[in-house]
Amino acid sequence: MSIVDDVLRANERYADAFSQGSLPVRPAKALAVVTCKDARLMPEQFLGLGAGDAHVFRNAGGIVTDDALRSLIISHKLLGTRTFFVINHTGCGLLTLDEGALRKQLADETGVDASGIEFHSFKDLEANVRRQVAKITGHPFLASIDGVYGFVYDVKNGRLRQVA
């Protein structure tokens, strides 16, 4: 059995019991979350969210990139989100990423210059959360939101800690 077979079987079981086809497009809690794509994070679970409650955007590091900002603006202006969370986590790979070494590895493996790629590594978790929150609070198209909150999720104990 392949992973594709496993996923398709799981989806068949899910679809057989599916009952959420009438959820509205607007998130019920008017919440948007930017967090890391780390497989250990299950934000819907640790935030107590159900289907239809929030928009959750994930990328390596929970970074508010230009694309994340694009998604947040759409979420806010077209779909009514009013509160934003930025959630980073302990043990994040971007804390120890050597961007120069990764760029060299990519160039060595492919022969393609990787100097134009920004991987957004960081050394201080709390400072990174504050930096991502500031990108949202300082954006002119997101000035009318109710609030932006930063958190660190601890992968060892499942607890969320707010960053001032």
Side-chain angles (χ1 to χ4, degrees), residues 128-146:
N128 186 62
V129 170
R130 286 189 289 274
R131 195 168 31 257
Q132 303 317 309
V133 165
K135 289 179 188 179
I136 297 169
T137 58
H139 200 284
F141 300 145
L142 298 172
S144 61
I145 58 177
D146 291 342

Side-chain angles (χ1 to χ4, degrees), residues 69-141:
L69 282 167
R70 176 188 68 87
S71 294
L72 291 170
I73 292 165
I74 290 168
S75 178
H76 174 55
K77 294 297 184 183
L78 300 181
L79 297 166
T81 55
R82 309 243 357 116
T83 303
F84 294 172
F85 289 176
V86 173
I87 304 172
N88 285 190
H89 66 92
T90 59
C92 184
L94 289 186
L95 282 163
T96 58
L97 175 67
D98 180 335
E99 292 198 25
L102 181 55
R103 286 189 194 95
K104 181 179 181 335
Q105 176 187 346
L106 293 170
D108 290 349
E109 289 174 358
T110 66
V112 177
D113 179 17
S115 62
I117 300 175
E118 175 65 40
F119 294 102
H120 302 282
S121 64
F122 52 89
K123 299 295 182 204
D124 183 313
L125 197 53
E126 288 79 12
N128 186 62
V129 170
R130 286 189 289 274
R131 195 168 31 257
Q132 303 317 309
V133 165
K135 289 179 188 179
I136 297 169
T137 58
H139 200 284
F141 300 145

